[in-house]
Amino acid sequence: MRHRVLAASGILAVLVTVMWLVSVPLVGQTPGAATAGSPPPPTPWGDPDLQGMWETRTYTPLERPSEFGEREFMTTEEAAERERLGLRRVVTDDDDDIADNLVEQDVNRYARAFAEDDGRPGFKIAGAEYNAFWSADPTVPKVSLRTSQIIDPPDGQMPALTRDALTTWEAREEARRGRSQGDDWEDRGLSERCISRNGLPGEMLGSTQNPIKEIVQTPGYVSIVMPYGYVRVIRLDEGPPLGSAIRQWNGDSRGHWEGQTLVVETRNFKNTVNNVVPAHGGPFGGSRHVHYYPGTGEMFRLTERFTRIDRDTIEYQYTIDDPDVFVRPWTTVNYFFLDTWATEGNQDRLFEYACHEHNYGMVNAIRGAQADRQWALDEAAREAGIREAELRDKWEETKAWEASNRSGR
Amino acid sequence: MGNWFRASVAGTAVTAAAVVAIIFLGGEPAVSQGPAYQAPRLPGTSNPNLTGLWQAFVTANWDIQDHAADAGPFPRLLGVWGARPAGQGVVEGNEIPYRPEALARKEENFRNRLTVDPDNVNTVGDPEAKCFMPGVPRATYMPFPFQIIQSTEKIVIAYQFANANRTIPIGEATNAPVDFWMGWSNGHWDGDTLVVDVTGFNGLAWFDRAGNYHSDALHVVERYTPMSPDHLMYEATIEDPTVFTRPWKISMPLYRRIEENAQFLEFKCVDLAEEYLYGDLVEGSSQGGAR
């Protein structure tokens, strides 16, 4: 008994230490002491207060890398090694270091223009669309020692796709055969078309360019100002459900409070089979995100849970339940941090994101594909090859799941 | 009010008209006078709570000035679907004080309102047709509702059209760091009226489909005043010395959408505008034809 208590407290100590590991530098902090005071008092109308500008980047991989096996958390040594390898992009809050980092990034960017062309269109400018200023870390991102965002299933892996989803994926590939990268606008990905960056819930997590979300509350509503040109208006009252014929890119969100936790359920997602073509890059936009998998959206139910666990931190969980696409639901956890740049009074709102209004790239992409269609066809075929390999892997996963499920019965 | 004012000018001597104008400019919006309406407060503040789904019911998006019914640009293609309803203007006095060269530009805008030039996508044609953000004040009177979410220190307005939105901090004003389609808004309370001072425009938005426009020197002062549980009076003073010779004003009521199932919906119109914007670049576009 005594032995077990000791062991348990040992585990607890490790968890406390590693969950809130704040990356370099640990200014005035010791690991485990990052909990920065209690959450603020409730709003004047009695709701838990989630308001503020939140830094939502994560450096935790969606799926657990195999090197971590069954472990939910990595050691600080492992974290340091990943940082060294650039798997966790972290700069210090020293301005000079940020400046050096930016200079280095820009030097590398320009260097590409002089590199030997590998024959791919756009090679010399790929990655140079933005200079380093736009991908700079505005604040030191805090990182957790989680080995994966996925906490359920416990193996940290995205569940297998259903046979229906795989067949749909194949049909979509078939429909794309013979099309180039830019025969028309629908040959480009959703983010290049300025329709959706990577959909919900992917957009809830930041990228280096647009890491901040702002939450503003009032009785009956929670709104989340998104850095991609829209506001999530979340109704807290019951209200009649939205008719099933009304499908939206970001679905229809309804929220309620469970204790200190805001629970948001989103349905009525758009049918992405008909609207999403694979973007260049990886399988569905180079993003392993759920929204790019060939779901129909008809059954997709997203459940998000927002809990302010201390003054500076929201624990953010989402659960994907889409029986048309995944053989079982899955859940992730991430952390949002109050943005210090904003709390120190440097910025009082998010800036406008006018993507579509200035999407000159679309005109250029279509004209480019016409100027040399063969090139555009070859490039589309090359990308189709990448997706084909991905699809084969997904079939293997599905068959393996089926086999283990049968043997388990 | 605009009509009444115009009738007065037409029918009376100049001095009398001036007196009428002074009376009306100085007074409250000309809705039924009565004891001032006391709107419910936002808890924790002394301010009225403007939260809700609101919509203007005017035809100002076609033309902020008086306009007769018209067949619209494509009667053969669209029948009366494309027609413009008759409507009374929202401009006080119905006159927009353009500088002469600016008036010529307005007329050119109208002629080219449905022109798409892939090389000048931001400077030719009505931004609305392209699903570009409508700017301020046009966002207010688009034929779509918008959602106000009012907190203690900030107010968010989410517009259905193009998912445009703005965040309005209440209190100390800050300067626009760069230019925006929707401008840079600073809010404060004048009694029960929310006053929003907007600058920092990029000068690319229009006022309406008639080609009325402004430059990046635009300065808009908006006033939102609760008039009843279900309506606000909206007034906006427009100042842009590079386009207009003097400030001018628009006003209209905003109505709360009171249907039980009324809610904010998406109108992320990008995919609805792509064929319009890019279709001419694509020969034999697979997207062509009626849908």
Side-chain angles (χ1 to χ4, degrees), chain A residues 200-201 232-234 248-255 263-269 297-304 306 316 319 321, chain B residues 266:
Chain A
L200 290 181
R232 292 186 67 188
V233 176
I234 300 166
Q248 311 200 103
W249 290 104
N250 293 315
D252 177 41
S253 295
R254 306 291 174 95
V263 182
V264 180
E265 283 216 4
T266 307
R267 300 164 190 260
N268 291 70
F269 282 98
E298 306 283 327
M299 301 286 285
F300 179 20
R301 185 180 58 167
L302 170 68
T303 307
E304 296 163 282
F306 301 75
Y316 174 69
T319 299
D321 184 358
Chain B
E266 238 176 41

PDB file of all heavy atoms in Angstrom, chain A residues 200-201 232-234 248-255 263-269 297-304 306 316 319 321, chain B residues 266:
ATOM      1  N   LEU A 200     -12.645  23.681 -39.415  1.00  0.00           N
ATOM      2  CA  LEU A 200     -12.741  23.389 -37.989  1.00  0.00           C
ATOM      3  C   LEU A 200     -12.591  21.892 -37.791  1.00  0.00           C
ATOM      4  O   LEU A 200     -13.086  21.131 -38.602  1.00  0.00           O
ATOM      5  CB  LEU A 200     -14.096  23.837 -37.438  1.00  0.00           C
ATOM      6  CG  LEU A 200     -14.325  25.342 -37.343  1.00  0.00           C
ATOM      7  CD1 LEU A 200     -15.708  25.604 -36.760  1.00  0.00           C
ATOM      8  CD2 LEU A 200     -13.266  26.004 -36.489  1.00  0.00           C
ATOM      9  N   PRO A 201     -11.958  21.490 -36.731  1.00  0.00           N
ATOM     10  CA  PRO A 201     -11.377  22.311 -35.671  1.00  0.00           C
ATOM     11  C   PRO A 201      -9.940  22.751 -35.947  1.00  0.00           C
ATOM     12  O   PRO A 201      -9.357  23.437 -35.127  1.00  0.00           O
ATOM     13  CB  PRO A 201     -11.394  21.358 -34.478  1.00  0.00           C
ATOM     14  CG  PRO A 201     -11.150  20.014 -35.103  1.00  0.00           C
ATOM     15  CD  PRO A 201     -11.856  20.052 -36.431  1.00  0.00           C
ATOM     16  N   ARG A 232     -16.600  33.154 -35.184  1.00  0.00           N
ATOM     17  CA  ARG A 232     -17.490  32.064 -34.774  1.00  0.00           C
ATOM     18  C   ARG A 232     -18.495  32.637 -33.791  1.00  0.00           C
ATOM     19  O   ARG A 232     -18.127  33.076 -32.707  1.00  0.00           O
ATOM     20  CB  ARG A 232     -16.706  30.934 -34.096  1.00  0.00           C
ATOM     21  CG  ARG A 232     -15.778  30.182 -35.017  1.00  0.00           C
ATOM     22  CD  ARG A 232     -15.148  28.992 -34.315  1.00  0.00           C
ATOM     23  NE  ARG A 232     -16.142  27.962 -33.990  1.00  0.00           N
ATOM     24  CZ  ARG A 232     -15.891  26.884 -33.240  1.00  0.00           C
ATOM     25  NH1 ARG A 232     -14.677  26.717 -32.712  1.00  0.00           N
ATOM     26  NH2 ARG A 232     -16.823  25.997 -33.013  1.00  0.00           N
ATOM     27  N   VAL A 233     -19.769  32.671 -34.180  1.00  0.00           N
ATOM     28  CA  VAL A 233     -20.832  33.159 -33.304  1.00  0.00           C
ATOM     29  C   VAL A 233     -21.476  31.930 -32.681  1.00  0.00           C
ATOM     30  O   VAL A 233     -22.131  31.148 -33.365  1.00  0.00           O
ATOM     31  CB  VAL A 233     -21.866  33.974 -34.101  1.00  0.00           C
ATOM     32  CG1 VAL A 233     -23.020  34.405 -33.191  1.00  0.00           C
ATOM     33  CG2 VAL A 233     -21.208  35.191 -34.752  1.00  0.00           C
ATOM     34  N   ILE A 234     -21.268  31.726 -31.394  1.00  0.00           N
ATOM     35  CA  ILE A 234     -21.733  30.507 -30.725  1.00  0.00           C
ATOM     36  C   ILE A 234     -22.890  30.856 -29.803  1.00  0.00           C
ATOM     37  O   ILE A 234     -22.724  31.589 -28.825  1.00  0.00           O
ATOM     38  CB  ILE A 234     -20.574  29.854 -29.934  1.00  0.00           C
ATOM     39  CG1 ILE A 234     -19.441  29.494 -30.897  1.00  0.00           C
ATOM     40  CG2 ILE A 234     -21.081  28.616 -29.179  1.00  0.00           C
ATOM     41  CD1 ILE A 234     -18.129  29.169 -30.206  1.00  0.00           C
ATOM     42  N   GLN A 248     -22.815  24.451 -43.764  1.00  0.00           N
ATOM     43  CA  GLN A 248     -21.898  25.589 -43.751  1.00  0.00           C
ATOM     44  C   GLN A 248     -20.463  25.082 -43.660  1.00  0.00           C
ATOM     45  O   GLN A 248     -20.209  24.032 -43.086  1.00  0.00           O
ATOM     46  CB  GLN A 248     -22.226  26.505 -42.573  1.00  0.00           C
ATOM     47  CG  GLN A 248     -23.715  26.842 -42.484  1.00  0.00           C
ATOM     48  CD  GLN A 248     -24.002  28.085 -41.653  1.00  0.00           C
ATOM     49  OE1 GLN A 248     -24.267  29.142 -42.202  1.00  0.00           O
ATOM     50  NE2 GLN A 248     -23.933  27.965 -40.353  1.00  0.00           N
ATOM     51  N   TRP A 249     -19.553  25.876 -44.205  1.00  0.00           N
ATOM     52  CA  TRP A 249     -18.137  25.498 -44.149  1.00  0.00           C
ATOM     53  C   TRP A 249     -17.715  25.238 -42.714  1.00  0.00           C
ATOM     54  O   TRP A 249     -16.964  24.320 -42.432  1.00  0.00           O
ATOM     55  CB  TRP A 249     -17.249  26.591 -44.753  1.00  0.00           C
ATOM     56  CG  TRP A 249     -17.400  26.718 -46.232  1.00  0.00           C
ATOM     57  CD1 TRP A 249     -18.079  27.690 -46.909  1.00  0.00           C
ATOM     58  CD2 TRP A 249     -16.863  25.829 -47.238  1.00  0.00           C
ATOM     59  NE1 TRP A 249     -18.003  27.458 -48.262  1.00  0.00           N
ATOM     60  CE2 TRP A 249     -17.265  26.337 -48.496  1.00  0.00           C
ATOM     61  CE3 TRP A 249     -16.090  24.672 -47.201  1.00  0.00           C
ATOM     62  CZ2 TRP A 249     -16.914  25.716 -49.704  1.00  0.00           C
ATOM     63  CZ3 TRP A 249     -15.746  24.061 -48.397  1.00  0.00           C
ATOM     64  CH2 TRP A 249     -16.152  24.573 -49.627  1.00  0.00           C
ATOM     65  N   ASN A 250     -18.195  26.091 -41.791  1.00  0.00           N
ATOM     66  CA  ASN A 250     -17.818  25.928 -40.394  1.00  0.00           C
ATOM     67  C   ASN A 250     -18.959  25.397 -39.549  1.00  0.00           C
ATOM     68  O   ASN A 250     -18.950  25.526 -38.320  1.00  0.00           O
ATOM     69  CB  ASN A 250     -17.289  27.254 -39.834  1.00  0.00           C
ATOM     70  CG  ASN A 250     -15.972  27.621 -40.495  1.00  0.00           C
ATOM     71  OD1 ASN A 250     -15.093  26.784 -40.648  1.00  0.00           O
ATOM     72  ND2 ASN A 250     -15.850  28.853 -40.937  1.00  0.00           N
ATOM     73  N   GLY A 251     -19.957  24.810 -40.193  1.00  0.00           N
ATOM     74  CA  GLY A 251     -21.037  24.176 -39.462  1.00  0.00           C
ATOM     75  C   GLY A 251     -21.859  25.164 -38.655  1.00  0.00           C
ATOM     76  O   GLY A 251     -21.810  26.380 -38.882  1.00  0.00           O
ATOM     77  N   ASP A 252     -22.619  24.643 -37.725  1.00  0.00           N
ATOM     78  CA  ASP A 252     -23.475  25.452 -36.863  1.00  0.00           C
ATOM     79  C   ASP A 252     -23.152  25.079 -35.425  1.00  0.00           C
ATOM     80  O   ASP A 252     -23.326  23.937 -35.019  1.00  0.00           O
ATOM     81  CB  ASP A 252     -24.949  25.146 -37.182  1.00  0.00           C
ATOM     82  CG  ASP A 252     -25.887  25.906 -36.263  1.00  0.00           C
ATOM     83  OD1 ASP A 252     -25.621  27.093 -35.991  1.00  0.00           O
ATOM     84  OD2 ASP A 252     -26.880  25.310 -35.797  1.00  0.00           O
ATOM     85  N   SER A 253     -22.664  26.045 -34.659  1.00  0.00           N
ATOM     86  CA  SER A 253     -22.164  25.768 -33.307  1.00  0.00           C
ATOM     87  C   SER A 253     -23.159  26.196 -32.249  1.00  0.00           C
ATOM     88  O   SER A 253     -23.686  27.307 -32.296  1.00  0.00           O
ATOM     89  CB  SER A 253     -20.838  26.506 -33.073  1.00  0.00           C
ATOM     90  OG  SER A 253     -19.834  26.026 -33.928  1.00  0.00           O
ATOM     91  N   ARG A 254     -23.398  25.332 -31.277  1.00  0.00           N
ATOM     92  CA  ARG A 254     -24.221  25.669 -30.108  1.00  0.00           C
ATOM     93  C   ARG A 254     -23.407  25.327 -28.868  1.00  0.00           C
ATOM     94  O   ARG A 254     -22.772  24.264 -28.824  1.00  0.00           O
ATOM     95  CB  ARG A 254     -25.507  24.846 -30.092  1.00  0.00           C
ATOM     96  CG  ARG A 254     -26.334  24.941 -31.372  1.00  0.00           C
ATOM     97  CD  ARG A 254     -26.935  26.329 -31.533  1.00  0.00           C
ATOM     98  NE  ARG A 254     -27.604  26.456 -32.829  1.00  0.00           N
ATOM     99  CZ  ARG A 254     -28.912  26.262 -33.009  1.00  0.00           C
ATOM    100  NH1 ARG A 254     -29.667  25.916 -31.982  1.00  0.00           N
ATOM    101  NH2 ARG A 254     -29.448  26.396 -34.190  1.00  0.00           N
ATOM    102  N   GLY A 255     -23.475  26.212 -27.869  1.00  0.00           N
ATOM    103  CA  GLY A 255     -22.668  25.985 -26.676  1.00  0.00           C
ATOM    104  C   GLY A 255     -23.503  25.906 -25.409  1.00  0.00           C
ATOM    105  O   GLY A 255     -24.644  26.364 -25.371  1.00  0.00           O
ATOM    106  N   VAL A 263     -18.852  23.899 -23.418  1.00  0.00           N
ATOM    107  CA  VAL A 263     -18.944  22.768 -24.336  1.00  0.00           C
ATOM    108  C   VAL A 263     -19.652  23.260 -25.596  1.00  0.00           C
ATOM    109  O   VAL A 263     -20.749  23.819 -25.519  1.00  0.00           O
ATOM    110  CB  VAL A 263     -19.729  21.597 -23.705  1.00  0.00           C
ATOM    111  CG1 VAL A 263     -19.777  20.410 -24.666  1.00  0.00           C
ATOM    112  CG2 VAL A 263     -19.099  21.196 -22.375  1.00  0.00           C
ATOM    113  N   VAL A 264     -19.010  23.090 -26.743  1.00  0.00           N
ATOM    114  CA  VAL A 264     -19.579  23.565 -28.006  1.00  0.00           C
ATOM    115  C   VAL A 264     -19.761  22.378 -28.942  1.00  0.00           C
ATOM    116  O   VAL A 264     -18.803  21.646 -29.209  1.00  0.00           O
ATOM    117  CB  VAL A 264     -18.661  24.615 -28.673  1.00  0.00           C
ATOM    118  CG1 VAL A 264     -19.268  25.096 -29.994  1.00  0.00           C
ATOM    119  CG2 VAL A 264     -18.412  25.790 -27.737  1.00  0.00           C
ATOM    120  N   GLU A 265     -20.975  22.200 -29.402  1.00  0.00           N
ATOM    121  CA  GLU A 265     -21.251  21.140 -30.370  1.00  0.00           C
ATOM    122  C   GLU A 265     -21.515  21.768 -31.725  1.00  0.00           C
ATOM    123  O   GLU A 265     -22.310  22.705 -31.839  1.00  0.00           O
ATOM    124  CB  GLU A 265     -22.484  20.338 -29.943  1.00  0.00           C
ATOM    125  CG  GLU A 265     -22.179  19.369 -28.837  1.00  0.00           C
ATOM    126  CD  GLU A 265     -22.967  18.062 -28.980  1.00  0.00           C
ATOM    127  OE1 GLU A 265     -23.693  17.891 -29.976  1.00  0.00           O
ATOM    128  OE2 GLU A 265     -22.827  17.224 -28.077  1.00  0.00           O
ATOM    129  N   THR A 266     -20.866  21.253 -32.748  1.00  0.00           N
ATOM    130  CA  THR A 266     -21.023  21.804 -34.086  1.00  0.00           C
ATOM    131  C   THR A 266     -21.453  20.705 -35.040  1.00  0.00           C
ATOM    132  O   THR A 266     -20.837  19.636 -35.082  1.00  0.00           O
ATOM    133  CB  THR A 266     -19.715  22.452 -34.564  1.00  0.00           C
ATOM    134  OG1 THR A 266     -19.280  23.393 -33.587  1.00  0.00           O
ATOM    135  CG2 THR A 266     -19.906  23.177 -35.888  1.00  0.00           C
ATOM    136  N   ARG A 267     -22.528  20.986 -35.770  1.00  0.00           N
ATOM    137  CA  ARG A 267     -23.031  20.072 -36.804  1.00  0.00           C
ATOM    138  C   ARG A 267     -23.277  20.876 -38.060  1.00  0.00           C
ATOM    139  O   ARG A 267     -22.852  22.011 -38.159  1.00  0.00           O
ATOM    140  CB  ARG A 267     -24.350  19.439 -36.356  1.00  0.00           C
ATOM    141  CG  ARG A 267     -24.265  18.620 -35.073  1.00  0.00           C
ATOM    142  CD  ARG A 267     -25.678  18.380 -34.533  1.00  0.00           C
ATOM    143  NE  ARG A 267     -25.655  17.805 -33.201  1.00  0.00           N
ATOM    144  CZ  ARG A 267     -25.824  16.507 -32.939  1.00  0.00           C
ATOM    145  NH1 ARG A 267     -26.018  15.663 -33.913  1.00  0.00           N
ATOM    146  NH2 ARG A 267     -25.782  16.062 -31.699  1.00  0.00           N
ATOM    147  N   ASN A 268     -23.994  20.275 -39.002  1.00  0.00           N
ATOM    148  CA  ASN A 268     -24.347  20.965 -40.251  1.00  0.00           C
ATOM    149  C   ASN A 268     -23.127  21.371 -41.070  1.00  0.00           C
ATOM    150  O   ASN A 268     -23.143  22.404 -41.736  1.00  0.00           O
ATOM    151  CB  ASN A 268     -25.234  22.192 -39.993  1.00  0.00           C
ATOM    152  CG  ASN A 268     -26.614  21.809 -39.516  1.00  0.00           C
ATOM    153  OD1 ASN A 268     -26.768  21.335 -38.387  1.00  0.00           O
ATOM    154  ND2 ASN A 268     -27.607  21.972 -40.346  1.00  0.00           N
ATOM    155  N   PHE A 269     -22.071  20.572 -40.983  1.00  0.00           N
ATOM    156  CA  PHE A 269     -20.917  20.868 -41.831  1.00  0.00           C
ATOM    157  C   PHE A 269     -21.272  20.620 -43.292  1.00  0.00           C
ATOM    158  O   PHE A 269     -22.143  19.804 -43.615  1.00  0.00           O
ATOM    159  CB  PHE A 269     -19.725  19.995 -41.443  1.00  0.00           C
ATOM    160  CG  PHE A 269     -19.007  20.475 -40.220  1.00  0.00           C
ATOM    161  CD1 PHE A 269     -19.257  19.917 -38.981  1.00  0.00           C
ATOM    162  CD2 PHE A 269     -18.075  21.498 -40.308  1.00  0.00           C
ATOM    163  CE1 PHE A 269     -18.604  20.365 -37.848  1.00  0.00           C
ATOM    164  CE2 PHE A 269     -17.411  21.954 -39.184  1.00  0.00           C
ATOM    165  CZ  PHE A 269     -17.680  21.383 -37.950  1.00  0.00           C
ATOM    166  N   GLY A 297     -19.512  15.063 -44.203  1.00  0.00           N
ATOM    167  CA  GLY A 297     -19.986  16.172 -43.384  1.00  0.00           C
ATOM    168  C   GLY A 297     -21.393  15.956 -42.860  1.00  0.00           C
ATOM    169  O   GLY A 297     -21.832  16.622 -41.938  1.00  0.00           O
ATOM    170  N   GLU A 298     -22.103  15.023 -43.440  1.00  0.00           N
ATOM    171  CA  GLU A 298     -23.504  14.818 -43.047  1.00  0.00           C
ATOM    172  C   GLU A 298     -23.601  14.384 -41.583  1.00  0.00           C
ATOM    173  O   GLU A 298     -24.493  14.784 -40.858  1.00  0.00           O
ATOM    174  CB  GLU A 298     -24.155  13.746 -43.927  1.00  0.00           C
ATOM    175  CG  GLU A 298     -24.038  14.000 -45.416  1.00  0.00           C
ATOM    176  CD  GLU A 298     -25.008  15.062 -45.897  1.00  0.00           C
ATOM    177  OE1 GLU A 298     -26.100  15.140 -45.335  1.00  0.00           O
ATOM    178  OE2 GLU A 298     -24.637  15.811 -46.827  1.00  0.00           O
ATOM    179  N   MET A 299     -22.684  13.519 -41.200  1.00  0.00           N
ATOM    180  CA  MET A 299     -22.745  12.941 -39.861  1.00  0.00           C
ATOM    181  C   MET A 299     -21.718  13.556 -38.910  1.00  0.00           C
ATOM    182  O   MET A 299     -21.678  13.215 -37.742  1.00  0.00           O
ATOM    183  CB  MET A 299     -22.487  11.427 -39.936  1.00  0.00           C
ATOM    184  CG  MET A 299     -23.468  10.677 -40.793  1.00  0.00           C
ATOM    185  SD  MET A 299     -25.060  10.518 -39.959  1.00  0.00           S
ATOM    186  CE  MET A 299     -24.658   9.258 -38.763  1.00  0.00           C
ATOM    187  N   PHE A 300     -20.878  14.419 -39.440  1.00  0.00           N
ATOM    188  CA  PHE A 300     -19.765  14.950 -38.651  1.00  0.00           C
ATOM    189  C   PHE A 300     -20.303  15.776 -37.478  1.00  0.00           C
ATOM    190  O   PHE A 300     -21.023  16.747 -37.672  1.00  0.00           O
ATOM    191  CB  PHE A 300     -18.871  15.785 -39.557  1.00  0.00           C
ATOM    192  CG  PHE A 300     -17.685  16.421 -38.883  1.00  0.00           C
ATOM    193  CD1 PHE A 300     -17.185  15.956 -37.680  1.00  0.00           C
ATOM    194  CD2 PHE A 300     -17.037  17.491 -39.502  1.00  0.00           C
ATOM    195  CE1 PHE A 300     -16.079  16.548 -37.078  1.00  0.00           C
ATOM    196  CE2 PHE A 300     -15.936  18.091 -38.914  1.00  0.00           C
ATOM    197  CZ  PHE A 300     -15.463  17.623 -37.708  1.00  0.00           C
ATOM    198  N   ARG A 301     -19.945  15.347 -36.269  1.00  0.00           N
ATOM    199  CA  ARG A 301     -20.274  16.124 -35.084  1.00  0.00           C
ATOM    200  C   ARG A 301     -18.972  16.443 -34.364  1.00  0.00           C
ATOM    201  O   ARG A 301     -18.225  15.550 -33.973  1.00  0.00           O
ATOM    202  CB  ARG A 301     -21.212  15.360 -34.165  1.00  0.00           C
ATOM    203  CG  ARG A 301     -21.661  16.212 -32.979  1.00  0.00           C
ATOM    204  CD  ARG A 301     -22.583  15.445 -32.075  1.00  0.00           C
ATOM    205  NE  ARG A 301     -21.920  14.237 -31.586  1.00  0.00           N
ATOM    206  CZ  ARG A 301     -22.393  13.495 -30.585  1.00  0.00           C
ATOM    207  NH1 ARG A 301     -23.518  13.798 -30.007  1.00  0.00           N
ATOM    208  NH2 ARG A 301     -21.738  12.429 -30.195  1.00  0.00           N
ATOM    209  N   LEU A 302     -18.728  17.731 -34.205  1.00  0.00           N
ATOM    210  CA  LEU A 302     -17.526  18.191 -33.516  1.00  0.00           C
ATOM    211  C   LEU A 302     -17.923  18.657 -32.123  1.00  0.00           C
ATOM    212  O   LEU A 302     -18.846  19.456 -31.974  1.00  0.00           O
ATOM    213  CB  LEU A 302     -16.910  19.353 -34.302  1.00  0.00           C
ATOM    214  CG  LEU A 302     -15.777  20.130 -33.634  1.00  0.00           C
ATOM    215  CD1 LEU A 302     -14.544  19.261 -33.496  1.00  0.00           C
ATOM    216  CD2 LEU A 302     -15.446  21.393 -34.442  1.00  0.00           C
ATOM    217  N   THR A 303     -17.243  18.156 -31.104  1.00  0.00           N
ATOM    218  CA  THR A 303     -17.492  18.616 -29.736  1.00  0.00           C
ATOM    219  C   THR A 303     -16.213  19.234 -29.193  1.00  0.00           C
ATOM    220  O   THR A 303     -15.163  18.592 -29.188  1.00  0.00           O
ATOM    221  CB  THR A 303     -17.923  17.447 -28.824  1.00  0.00           C
ATOM    222  OG1 THR A 303     -19.029  16.783 -29.433  1.00  0.00           O
ATOM    223  CG2 THR A 303     -18.331  17.952 -27.447  1.00  0.00           C
ATOM    224  N   GLU A 304     -16.299  20.478 -28.780  1.00  0.00           N
ATOM    225  CA  GLU A 304     -15.127  21.173 -28.233  1.00  0.00           C
ATOM    226  C   GLU A 304     -15.389  21.496 -26.770  1.00  0.00           C
ATOM    227  O   GLU A 304     -16.513  21.817 -26.381  1.00  0.00           O
ATOM    228  CB  GLU A 304     -14.885  22.482 -28.992  1.00  0.00           C
ATOM    229  CG  GLU A 304     -14.544  22.309 -30.453  1.00  0.00           C
ATOM    230  CD  GLU A 304     -14.726  23.617 -31.210  1.00  0.00           C
ATOM    231  OE1 GLU A 304     -15.894  23.951 -31.517  1.00  0.00           O
ATOM    232  OE2 GLU A 304     -13.718  24.303 -31.475  1.00  0.00           O
ATOM    233  N   PHE A 306     -13.774  23.935 -23.726  1.00  0.00           N
ATOM    234  CA  PHE A 306     -12.854  25.005 -23.350  1.00  0.00           C
ATOM    235  C   PHE A 306     -12.891  25.158 -21.825  1.00  0.00           C
ATOM    236  O   PHE A 306     -13.944  25.477 -21.268  1.00  0.00           O
ATOM    237  CB  PHE A 306     -13.286  26.343 -23.941  1.00  0.00           C
ATOM    238  CG  PHE A 306     -13.386  26.407 -25.445  1.00  0.00           C
ATOM    239  CD1 PHE A 306     -14.444  25.818 -26.123  1.00  0.00           C
ATOM    240  CD2 PHE A 306     -12.428  27.110 -26.185  1.00  0.00           C
ATOM    241  CE1 PHE A 306     -14.558  25.912 -27.508  1.00  0.00           C
ATOM    242  CE2 PHE A 306     -12.534  27.213 -27.570  1.00  0.00           C
ATOM    243  CZ  PHE A 306     -13.593  26.609 -28.224  1.00  0.00           C
ATOM    244  N   TYR A 316      -7.951  23.044 -24.175  1.00  0.00           N
ATOM    245  CA  TYR A 316      -8.865  22.930 -25.312  1.00  0.00           C
ATOM    246  C   TYR A 316      -8.887  21.493 -25.803  1.00  0.00           C
ATOM    247  O   TYR A 316      -7.869  20.956 -26.222  1.00  0.00           O
ATOM    248  CB  TYR A 316      -8.408  23.866 -26.437  1.00  0.00           C
ATOM    249  CG  TYR A 316      -9.205  23.716 -27.724  1.00  0.00           C
ATOM    250  CD1 TYR A 316     -10.536  24.118 -27.793  1.00  0.00           C
ATOM    251  CD2 TYR A 316      -8.624  23.174 -28.869  1.00  0.00           C
ATOM    252  CE1 TYR A 316     -11.265  23.980 -28.961  1.00  0.00           C
ATOM    253  CE2 TYR A 316      -9.348  23.031 -30.045  1.00  0.00           C
ATOM    254  CZ  TYR A 316     -10.670  23.439 -30.084  1.00  0.00           C
ATOM    255  OH  TYR A 316     -11.389  23.293 -31.249  1.00  0.00           O
ATOM    256  N   THR A 319     -13.368  16.580 -29.884  1.00  0.00           N
ATOM    257  CA  THR A 319     -13.662  15.200 -30.235  1.00  0.00           C
ATOM    258  C   THR A 319     -14.287  15.176 -31.624  1.00  0.00           C
ATOM    259  O   THR A 319     -15.219  15.933 -31.897  1.00  0.00           O
ATOM    260  CB  THR A 319     -14.625  14.566 -29.213  1.00  0.00           C
ATOM    261  OG1 THR A 319     -13.991  14.573 -27.934  1.00  0.00           O
ATOM    262  CG2 THR A 319     -14.968  13.131 -29.605  1.00  0.00           C
ATOM    263  N   ASP A 321     -16.378  13.087 -34.154  1.00  0.00           N
ATOM    264  CA  ASP A 321     -17.266  11.939 -34.262  1.00  0.00           C
ATOM    265  C   ASP A 321     -17.874  11.990 -35.656  1.00  0.00           C
ATOM    266  O   ASP A 321     -18.738  12.818 -35.934  1.00  0.00           O
ATOM    267  CB  ASP A 321     -18.347  12.024 -33.173  1.00  0.00           C
ATOM    268  CG  ASP A 321     -19.245  10.791 -33.176  1.00  0.00           C
ATOM    269  OD1 ASP A 321     -19.053   9.898 -34.031  1.00  0.00           O
ATOM    270  OD2 ASP A 321     -20.155  10.739 -32.334  1.00  0.00           O
TER     271      ASP A 321
ATOM    272  N   GLU B 266     -23.771  31.613 -42.265  1.00  0.00           N
ATOM    273  CA  GLU B 266     -22.598  31.886 -43.084  1.00  0.00           C
ATOM    274  C   GLU B 266     -23.009  32.436 -44.452  1.00  0.00           C
ATOM    275  O   GLU B 266     -23.939  31.923 -45.066  1.00  0.00           O
ATOM    276  CB  GLU B 266     -21.904  30.548 -43.339  1.00  0.00           C
ATOM    277  CG  GLU B 266     -20.480  30.462 -42.896  1.00  0.00           C
ATOM    278  CD  GLU B 266     -19.931  29.059 -43.119  1.00  0.00           C
ATOM    279  OE1 GLU B 266     -20.226  28.457 -44.166  1.00  0.00           O
ATOM    280  OE2 GLU B 266     -19.211  28.568 -42.231  1.00  0.00           O
TER     281      GLU B 266
END
